[in-house]
Amino acid sequence: MKTDSKNKTDSSKAAARKKPRLQRIITWIGAVLLVSLIVIGLWPKPHPAEIATVSRGPLVVTIEEEGITRVKNRYTISSPVGGLLQRIDWKPGALVEAGKTVLAVLNTQGADLLDARSLALAETRVKGATAARSRASAIYDSSLASARLAATDFDRANKLFASGSVSKRERDEAQLNQTSAAQNSRAAGFAFDVAEFELQQYQAVLMRGKDSGAYEDEPLVITSPVSGRILRVFQESERVVPAGFALLEVGDSADLEARIEVLSRDAVNIILGARTELVKWGGDEALRGRVRVVEPSAFTKISALGVEEQRVNVIVDFLDSLDRRPTLGDAYRVEARIVTWESEDVLQAPAGALFQQGDHWEAYRVSHGNAQLITVDTDHSNGLFTEILGGLEEGDQVIVYPGDKISDGVSVSPLSIESR
């Protein structure tokens, strides 16, 4: 009996000694778990960031501005002498044919009788118009020769491109030269027709002034100098008009150009012949164009925000045929993208990944999941992508639009953007 009691006592003492030890172990485990949870909770989490890759590819720098179209070759029909103008029934948009369509009729009734001074002036005008016609004829012949040469060059470039001897860019330049030369030839032909018309008008005034009696009852008929459409009718009703009074405006509505207003600081970067795209004109596809003139004089214009701006008119020729823009007319609104620089193979990064610090540019490169602040050498930029000259290499990952929480050495994680 005594032995059993002693065993029970020893067991109770052993159990009593084990219980505090187990409690201590549980306490330590709980403490370790608590500290681990606190450490995990306080451990910095990777900041989500939009990440892009530096790559090589084509880069085009453009200037985008609004403008309007206008008929390149237009002519204002004016009254050569004073008289009673009969009512003009023509409406804008009507088709006219050179030398056949009667635009206006004037009843002069002796008003075109010239005195000695006016007669001498009329003779001088006839001589001047004769010289102008000769000059226009020479320019027209020269433009025809240039157009034939440009067409021959394009045919040659097209054959060489098919055999792989020239690049696509050279073939496209030859095509643009051909189109431009053809349009110049067309404009020169228009100028010759106008010069011929003015000569005939001055000759008619001179003849009527010398012998007014022969034309006393015969009205003065004014025909269209060129083939095209009537653009505007300045005087529709019958009335007495003086010499030189504007009556109508005619032109070829298919022969369009665009007048683009650009800031003067941008105009200095535009070169003659710069490639241009005309967009938002109403059609589905962009129209090709080429800069023909950058006007040397600027003008002041008040912006929508009330800011004074110095702007320059840039004249762009359309290069696409009429069938691609059959409904585009005079004074229609367009938007132009004028190319100031382009390259086919450029190391580039998103412009949003670069930010300026002092006089240099910096970016955050992602290295082993951490943001690394580096200095970057840049050059051309189109607002979306920027040319990289140094600091980054092809394949590097950079953070786009880094926020205030992004700093050198911070852990980052790619931000997934769901498209809707």
Side-chain angles (χ1 to χ4, degrees):
M1 295 295 294
K2 290 182 179 181
T3 302
D4 294 339
S5 299
K6 187 177 179 179
N7 291 336
K8 290 182 179 180
T9 302
D10 293 340
S11 299
S12 299
K13 290 181 180 181
R17 286 194 300 268
K18 290 181 180 180
K19 186 175 182 181
R21 186 182 302 172
L22 181 61
Q23 290 178 349
R24 286 196 301 270
I25 293 174
I26 294 174
T27 302
W28 278 105
I29 293 175
V32 171
L33 290 175
L34 179 61
V35 171
S36 300
L37 292 175
I38 293 175
V39 171
I40 293 174
L42 296 178
W43 192 268
K45 297 180 180 179
H47 294 283
E50 184 179 350
I51 297 176
T53 303
V54 179
S55 60
R56 303 192 70 92
L59 181 64
V60 180
V61 181
T62 62
I63 297 173
E64 298 188 13
E65 292 289 352
E66 295 183 358
I68 61 173
T69 62
R70 66 183 184 185
V71 174
K72 183 186 301 184
N73 300 308
R74 59 178 70 214
Y75 186 80
T76 300
I77 308 298
S78 302
S79 172
V81 295
L84 178 63
L85 173 69
Q86 296 183 9
R87 178 177 176 81
I88 297 177
D89 294 326
W90 293 108
K91 301 298 180 183
L95 291 171
V96 294
E97 187 176 354
K100 296 183 179 180
T101 304
V102 177
L103 299 179
V105 178
L106 276 171
N107 294 321
T108 58
Q109 296 180 349
D112 48 2
L113 181 63
L114 304 178
D115 55 18
R117 178 178 177 277
S118 300
L119 185 61
L121 181 60
E123 291 176 347
T124 302
R125 286 176 174 172
V126 169
K127 292 179 181 179
T130 302
R133 185 187 63 173
S134 299
R135 178 176 180 273
S137 176
I139 294 175
Y140 181 51
D141 293 340
S142 176
S143 65
L144 286 177
S146 299
R148 288 193 292 267
L149 177 61
T152 302
D153 290 341
F154 173 65
D155 291 339
R156 184 183 300 110
N158 208 19
K159 294 177 181 178
L160 292 175
F161 174 75
S163 62
S165 301
V166 299
S167 64
K168 184 177 184 297
R169 183 182 182 86
E170 291 175 327
R171 194 275 302 268
D172 292 341
E173 287 181 354
Q175 185 179 13
L176 290 178
N177 291 333
Q178 180 201 23
T179 305
S180 180
Q183 291 187 349
N184 291 336
S185 174
R186 186 176 183 179
F190 184 95
F192 175 76
D193 292 339
V194 170
E196 178 70 24
F197 170 79
E198 290 182 343
L199 175 61
Q200 293 176 2
Q201 288 292 98
Y202 289 139
Q203 287 176 341
V205 171
L206 180 61
M207 292 176 60
R208 296 173 71 93
K210 286 183 175 180
D211 189 8
S212 178
Y215 303 94
E216 185 173 357
D217 297 329
E218 183 179 346
L220 178 62
V221 177
I222 301 176
T223 58
S224 176
V226 293
S227 298
R229 293 182 182 271
I230 294 178
L231 303 178
R232 293 179 180 86
V233 179
F234 299 118
Q235 180 59 45
E236 185 176 357
S237 302
E238 180 178 311
R239 58 161 292 183
V240 176
V241 297
F245 188 83
L247 305 177
L248 308 96
E249 188 178 54
V250 299
D252 187 358
S253 59
D255 193 10
L256 292 177
E257 63 184 11
R259 176 175 59 84
I260 313 299
E261 297 180 0
V262 304
L263 294 173
S264 58
R265 66 171 178 265
D266 293 332
V268 298
N269 297 319
I270 300 176
I271 62 174
L272 299 183
R275 185 169 62 87
T276 306
E277 285 187 350
L278 299 163
V279 298
K280 295 184 180 180
W281 57 275
D284 296 332
E285 298 181 357
L287 300 175
R288 297 180 306 154
R290 170 181 283 185
V291 173
R292 177 166 54 89
V293 176
V294 179
E295 294 185 355
S297 179
F299 58 92
T300 302
K301 185 175 182 180
I302 307 299
S303 68
L305 299 177
V307 179
E308 286 190 357
E309 299 175 340
Q310 290 301 113
R311 291 191 169 267
V312 178
N313 285 329
V314 177
I315 311 302
V316 176
D317 288 334
F318 285 86
L319 297 180
D320 287 318
S321 58
L322 181 60
D323 56 356
R324 294 196 58 191
R325 48 180 177 88
T327 57
L328 191 62
D330 185 42
Y332 282 34
R333 176 185 174 276
V334 295
E335 290 188 12
R337 296 173 183 164
I338 304 174
V339 177
T340 58
W341 182 88
E342 61 181 329
S343 178
E344 295 296 330
D345 187 20
V346 174
L347 182 65
Q348 54 189 287
L354 308 175
F355 53 93
Q356 196 167 12
Q357 293 286 352
D359 58 349
H360 58 274
W361 290 89
E362 294 183 345
Y364 283 110
R365 178 174 56 191
V366 179
S367 177
H368 303 292
N370 296 326
Q372 181 183 8
L373 183 64
I374 59 172
T375 300
V376 181
D377 294 330
T378 64
D379 199 352
H380 300 93
S381 177
N382 61 5
L384 297 177
F385 293 93
T386 301
E387 181 183 10
I388 304 299
L389 300 180
L392 292 172
E393 298 181 356
E394 184 179 3
D396 286 347
Q397 291 186 325
V398 291
I399 300 176
V400 183
Y401 302 115
D404 297 337
K405 296 181 179 180
I406 303 298
S407 60
D408 191 19
V410 169
S411 178
V412 295
S413 61
L415 178 64
S416 59
I417 301 177
E418 297 182 357
S419 59
R420 297 183 178 179

